[in-house]
Amino acid sequence: MIIDLRSDTLTKPTQGMLEAMWSAQVGDDVFGEDPTVNALEQKLADMFGMEAGLFCPSGTMTNQIAIRLHTRPQTELICHKYSHIYLYEGGGIMSNSHASVKLLDGEYGKISPSDIADAINPDDVHAPETTLVSLENTMNKGGGSIYTLEEIKPIKALCDQHGIKLHLDGARIFNALVVTGESPKAWGAMFDTISVCLSKGLGCPVGSVLLGSKEDIKRARKVRKSFGGGMRQAGFLAAAGIYALDHQVKRLAEDHDRAKKLGEILEQHPLVSEVFPVVTNIVIARLKDITPAEMLQKLDAEGIKAVRFGKDQIRFVTHLDFGDEGLEEFGKRIREIR
């Protein structure tokens, strides 16, 4: 048995999800005529109390569309230096929107209102205009760390004060909400746009939805077209999203529990110096006396897959295809590595 913990994007559709996909009603989404896509977009918009949604192939696309909406050349966005939109989206901010980026530091990938306030540019001919702040929840490079609603409120107030848009890369937003118990609608009230990924912990084969105002989503649809994101009979994929929202949100707590146990196992390993606090389904281990490449080779020999996550770190991500049997087997195999 291969224990693949490289990402929660590796999951396969459950039988129930496959049946929902197989029976989906479809049309041409580029013409706005796919009933299942329309239902998914409205379902998520209603959940977050937002006006409209746009189904896209990936979270990278939904993020990049949002950035395109809220910036223009000679403007600047603020985000954490480890944000997915900056590190892992192929330089899309610059190539798609021609915008500048101001990168902030912060513990476990989170940025504070005071740091954001200091980073807002003055109205000066020498500086790009600050038009957007982007946050990530959960924070991938922060080990699945989460923002709470109380942490977001002062950031929202600051953005409103300065006329700055606020975007959420909600790649794993439901993981965060399962932990905090906060409502999606409360979060929707904080942001101008939210990207919700369906292909990670929710277990869909592909897809993300961008949420926002009707005006923004109308503009976003045109940007999606220019990005090549029109998917025609996409209802087969959207049906998976509807099924996931109905059946696979609460079970995210199981992934979190297994991640905590996995972290406890790693903390006891002689080649691990530190494990980031495990809050959701991401476990980051800092290594000692071994390089990530060497550790990954040893793990691979034991049938365990993970990814390098920095000069001395590796990452594991729990998911719906990793159960108690896999966790028990992981514990046995990791103890064989020295």
Side-chain angles (χ1 to χ4, degrees):
M1 175 177 68
I2 299 297
I3 302 173
D4 198 338
L5 299 173
R6 289 174 295 169
S7 177
D8 46 4
T9 60
L10 296 163
T11 56
K12 304 296 193 298
T14 63
Q15 186 60 40
M17 182 178 286
L18 287 171
E19 291 171 1
M21 295 170 70
W22 182 254
S23 61
Q25 296 183 18
V26 298
D28 192 320
D29 179 51
V30 176
F31 285 96
E33 296 175 355
D34 190 304
T36 309
V37 171
N38 294 342
L40 171 64
E41 291 170 344
Q42 194 60 54
K43 184 180 183 69
L44 266 171
D46 290 344
M47 287 179 72
F48 283 84
M50 303 186 83
E51 290 183 346
L54 182 67
F55 186 46
C56 294
S58 69
T60 292
M61 184 175 285
T62 46
N63 283 331
Q64 290 301 316
I65 289 173
I67 293 167
R68 181 75 166 264
L69 295 178
H70 302 316
T71 66
R72 61 186 185 279
Q74 294 186 294
T75 64
E76 185 168 80
L77 69 86
I78 296 170
C79 65
H80 193 279
K81 67 180 182 181
Y82 291 150
S83 293
H84 192 281
I85 61 167
Y86 178 73
L87 284 184
Y88 297 123
E89 298 188 4
I93 297 171
M94 285 62 76
S95 64
N96 296 322
S97 299
H98 308 291
S100 295
V101 185
K102 185 167 288 183
L103 302 175
L104 303 186
D105 209 341
E107 190 175 29
Y108 299 120
K110 296 164 61 177
I111 54 179
S112 69
S114 60
D115 287 340
I116 294 170
D118 290 342
I120 296 172
N121 289 328
D123 184 8
D124 188 303
V125 70
H126 300 93
E129 178 188 358
T130 305
T131 62
L132 176 64
V133 172
S134 181
L135 307 177
E136 186 175 328
N137 205 23
T138 67
M139 183 63 188
N140 181 23
K141 289 283 283 187
S145 60
I146 62 175
Y147 286 94
T148 65
L149 198 60
E150 290 305 309
E151 291 173 309
I152 298 298
K153 287 178 180 178
I155 296 176
K156 167 65 172 172
L158 179 66
C159 288
D160 287 347
Q161 176 187 345
H162 290 273
I164 295 171
K165 300 294 185 179
L166 186 58
H167 172 67
L168 177 65
D169 175 1
R172 296 181 175 90
I173 181 62
F174 283 103
N175 291 85
L177 296 179
V178 163
V179 172
T180 65
E182 295 162 348
S183 74
K185 283 187 178 179
W187 275 77
M190 295 292 106
F191 293 88
D192 294 284
T193 48
I194 298 177
S195 167
V196 179
C197 188
L198 302 168
S199 62
K200 293 185 172 68
L202 294 182
C204 296
V206 66
S208 291
V209 176
L210 180 65
L211 303 174
S213 68
K214 288 182 179 178
E215 180 182 354
D216 277 345
I217 296 304
K218 181 179 179 181
R219 292 173 56 213
R221 193 172 295 276
K222 184 171 286 190
V223 177
R224 185 187 70 172
K225 181 65 175 175
S226 71
F227 284 179
M231 294 187 288
R232 305 301 179 181
Q233 288 75 34
F236 295 114
L237 299 173
I242 293 172
Y243 181 89
L245 293 170
D246 288 342
H247 300 282
Q248 296 184 174
V249 173
K250 290 182 179 179
R251 62 146 304 279
L252 292 171
E254 299 174 19
D255 296 342
H256 301 169
D257 289 342
R258 293 188 185 102
K260 286 181 172 64
K261 292 172 183 175
L262 192 148
E264 291 168 1
I265 292 170
L266 288 169
E267 284 177 334
Q268 304 303 315
H269 199 279
L271 295 177
V272 173
S273 64
E274 176 193 5
V275 174
F276 284 26
V278 181
V279 183
T280 52
N281 69 323
I282 296 175
V283 183
I284 297 179
R286 192 182 303 278
L287 305 175
K288 62 180 179 182
D289 303 324
I290 191 171
T291 67
E294 291 168 339
M295 187 63 169
L296 291 175
Q297 188 175 24
K298 288 178 178 289
L299 287 167
D300 192 61
E302 295 292 335
I304 299 172
K305 293 184 178 295
V307 295
R308 178 177 177 175
F309 225 52
K311 65 179 182 179
D312 60 354
Q313 299 167 18
I314 57 175
R315 185 193 73 171
F316 304 84
V317 185
T318 58
H319 49 75
L320 64 83
D321 289 343
F322 176 69
D324 290 337
E325 181 184 356
L327 179 63
E328 183 179 356
E329 191 64 25
F330 176 90
K332 293 177 181 177
R333 296 183 190 183
I334 198 76
R335 294 184 185 98
E336 299 298 317
I337 297 176
R338 290 294 185 269

